[in-house]
């Protein structure tokens, strides 16, 4: 699959709308993507759970420009406040998608957005944010080019989201989305995410995700910097091979409902991601002391109760606690009584696996 598929045909209609709105979720990777090449092409495949309540809600306002020979015209409003610092990211995003959506030069935009979770704290706000913008832009294209199929609409929206945030391509659909070519997953692609196409056991349906906010501040290392550290990393090739192997192992696990094997792979993937940062040059420690305390408490609770909960981590200190829905009451009580003390201001978010973005 090549990106030329997403070059637009001639637009035949004028826009009748002046804005579009989407709520797009974050996602949490089970098999981690870490390291990329070219423009947002992953060095290894990944698979993620789409979340439900951790969402970015975005309204994209647009108005025709009289003169659009110069740079893009974008204003970002986050939580009701003008955020000029985010506008450079949108300009870069627009420059990447210009050949696929040439109309972005012809309009001035206001991006009005809000998150239901803390920005830049280890929850994928860039993924939900860019996927929401991509969907709004695709609504513009669909008005100007009627007849786009739903499949093409979703694939191109995922492709466009990827050019803003790699993991953004996994936030459009749910509950499980694969991004990156893998020999054992039909239809998988490096340039957009696809819904996981195979059987999923009841054990993994309605899975829960409790996000423990150990550190709500800005991440120590941006995702872009972190991915770049994989260039010339001494263990990079082994890591990329490991991700391919773990995703292959996960296919029968998702089918047969083997929770113990699921836990082993998911926790190993989380620790491997952080091991890559610990052994990069320069090196970073992204976990906090309370991150480790939470992990140890989870292990002890799992040994004592037999309840199949596990942790995973993104590139930050916060901990995602994953568990089947039928243990929801017990695990939530455990988090409230034992794990919340390790969270900044005792903050945590109870979420679950969702079905993707929604148009508002």
């Amino acid at each position: 699959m090549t990106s030329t598929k997403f070059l637009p045909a001639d637009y035949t209609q004028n826009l009748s709308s002046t804005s579009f709105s989407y709520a797009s979720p974050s996602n949490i990777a089970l098999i981690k993507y870490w390291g990329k090449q070219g423009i947002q092409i992953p060095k290894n495949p990944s698979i993620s759970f789409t979340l439900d309540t951790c969402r970015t809600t975005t309204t994209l306002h647009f108005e025709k420009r009289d003169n659009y020979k110069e740079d893009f015209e974008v204003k970002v409003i986050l939580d009701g406040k003008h955020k000029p610092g985010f506008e450079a990211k949108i300009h870069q995003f627009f420059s990447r998608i210009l050949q696929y959506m040439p109309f972005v030069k012809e309009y001035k935009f206001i991006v009005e957005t809000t998150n239901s979770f803390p920005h830049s704290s280890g929850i994928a706000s860039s993924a939900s944010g860019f996927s929401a913008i991509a969907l709004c832009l695709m609504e513009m294209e669909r008005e100007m080019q009627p007849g786009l199929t739903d499949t093409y609409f979703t694939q191109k929206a995922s492709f466009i989201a990827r050019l803003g945030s790699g993991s953004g391509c996994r936030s459009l659909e749910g509950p499980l989305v694969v991004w990156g070519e893998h020999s054992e997953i039909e239809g998988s692609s490096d340039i957009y995410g696809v819904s996981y196409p195979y059987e999923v056991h009841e054990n993994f349906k309605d899975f829960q995700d409790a996000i423990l906010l150990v550190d709500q501040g800005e991440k120590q290392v941006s995702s872009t910097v972190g991915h770049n550290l994989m260039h010339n990393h001494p263990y990079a090739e082994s890591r990329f091979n490991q991700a391919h192997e773990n995703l292959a192992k996960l296919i029968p696990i998702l089918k047969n409902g083997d929770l113990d094997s699921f836990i082993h792979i998911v926790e190993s993937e989380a620790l491997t991601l952080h091991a890559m940062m610990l052994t990069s040059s320069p090196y970073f420690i992204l976990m906090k002391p309370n991150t480790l305390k939470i992990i140890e408490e989870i292990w002890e609770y799992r040994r004592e109760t037999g309840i199949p909960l596990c942790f995973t981590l993104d590139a930050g200190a916060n901990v995602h606690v994953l568990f089947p829905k039928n243990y929801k009451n017990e695990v939530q009580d455990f988090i409230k009584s034992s794990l919340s003390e390790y969270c900044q201001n005792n903050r945590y978010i109870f979420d679950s696996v969702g079905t993707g973005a929604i148009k508002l």
Side-chain angles (χ1 to χ4, degrees):
M1 179 65 66
T2 66
S3 55
T4 55
K5 171 182 178 178
F6 299 120
L7 293 172
D10 291 336
Y11 298 126
T12 60
Q13 303 293 322
N14 293 321
L15 277 169
S16 58
S17 303
T18 58
S19 68
F20 290 105
S21 299
Y22 267 89
S24 191
S26 182
N27 64 77
I28 180 64
L30 308 174
I31 305 298
K32 308 294 185 181
Y33 123 79
W34 200 242
K36 56 190 175 184
Q37 59 192 339
I39 301 179
Q40 306 289 77
I41 299 297
K43 293 287 284 185
N44 67 262
S46 58
I47 186 170
S48 61
F49 273 140
T50 307
L51 299 184
D52 185 36
T53 61
C54 284
R55 291 177 171 267
T56 297
T57 300
T58 295
T59 298
L60 186 67
H61 305 272
F62 43 89
E63 182 181 337
K64 196 79 170 180
R65 298 171 73 186
D66 294 328
N67 183 345
Y68 52 88
K69 293 181 180 179
E70 299 303 321
D71 206 355
F72 309 105
E73 190 171 348
V74 184
K75 183 177 183 179
V76 176
I77 307 294
L78 174 63
D79 297 328
K81 297 179 181 179
H82 182 207
K83 295 288 184 179
F86 287 96
E87 288 162 8
K89 292 183 179 181
I90 305 298
H91 280 246
Q92 180 187 52
F93 172 54
F94 279 3
S95 68
R96 287 177 175 175
I97 69 172
L98 181 60
Q99 62 179 313
Y100 307 105
M101 292 184 151
F103 62 85
V104 294
K105 270 259 180 156
E106 302 175 20
Y107 292 84
K108 54 183 177 181
F109 295 92
I110 297 176
V111 181
E112 192 174 355
T113 188
T114 184
N115 294 323
S116 66
F117 53 90
H119 173 77
S120 297
S121 60
I123 305 172
S125 59
S126 59
S128 54
F130 276 107
S131 59
I133 293 173
L135 286 160
C136 291
L137 291 169
M138 281 304 300
E139 291 291 350
M140 293 179 68
E141 180 159 293
R142 180 151 59 183
E143 274 207 6
M144 293 184 286
Q145 192 178 336
L148 297 182
T149 66
D150 290 343
T151 297
Y152 180 87
F153 180 97
T154 301
Q155 286 181 353
K156 184 168 180 178
S158 180
F159 169 82
I160 294 297
R162 189 200 96 240
L163 296 176
S165 165
S167 56
C169 74
R170 298 193 309 241
S171 279
L172 281 74
E173 300 180 283
L176 282 162
V177 177
V178 176
W179 171 39
E181 290 186 12
H182 191 279
S183 60
E184 296 184 37
I185 298 182
E186 184 178 354
S188 58
S189 171
D190 284 344
I191 65 173
Y192 55 81
V194 298
S195 288
Y196 180 71
Y198 304 130
E199 183 180 349
V200 176
H201 193 276
E202 288 294 324
N203 283 350
F204 300 111
K205 294 180 180 178
D206 298 319
F207 230 62
Q208 305 293 295
D209 181 12
I211 305 158
L212 309 186
L213 300 176
V214 174
D215 183 3
Q216 298 176 58
E218 293 283 331
K219 289 188 292 186
Q220 180 186 355
V221 183
S222 73
S223 295
T224 299
V225 171
H227 285 293
N228 288 339
L229 291 173
M230 292 298 284
H231 299 307
N232 302 316
H233 194 294
Y235 308 128
E237 288 305 316
S238 294
R239 164 58 200 153
F240 302 146
N241 291 334
Q242 180 195 47
H244 277 271
E245 292 167 4
N246 280 344
L247 185 49
K249 292 176 183 177
L250 199 59
I251 294 170
I253 290 169
L254 290 172
K255 181 178 180 179
N256 64 32
D258 184 347
L259 287 165
D260 289 339
S261 296
F262 176 84
I263 288 168
H264 176 76
I265 287 178
V266 168
E267 291 189 342
S268 174
E269 279 283 313
L271 295 174
T272 299
L273 169 63
H274 284 256
M276 292 299 101
M277 294 298 289
L278 286 166
T279 52
S280 64
S281 181
Y283 42 79
F284 295 94
I285 300 175
L286 301 184
M287 291 190 246
K288 301 291 185 183
N290 281 355
T291 308
L292 296 174
K293 289 177 181 177
I294 288 170
I295 291 172
E296 290 171 347
E297 291 265 5
I298 288 171
W299 285 343
E300 182 178 357
Y301 180 79
R302 192 166 69 216
R303 282 194 300 269
E304 290 180 350
T305 65
I307 292 176
L309 80 168
C310 66
F311 71 87
T312 189
L313 309 164
D314 272 340
N318 296 334
V319 181
H320 291 250
V321 185
L322 301 174
F323 53 97
K325 186 178 181 180
N326 54 324
Y327 297 102
K328 180 176 179 178
N329 292 336
E330 299 97 311
V331 175
Q332 288 190 353
D333 286 344
F334 166 59
I335 289 168
K336 292 173 185 176
S337 63
S338 300
L339 300 186
S340 63
E341 66 180 280
Y342 303 118
C343 300
Q344 188 175 347
N345 301 320
N346 298 102
R347 287 199 65 192
Y348 50 83
I349 300 169
F350 289 144
D351 206 340
S352 60
V353 171
T355 55
I358 56 173
K359 185 180 179 182
L360 303 176

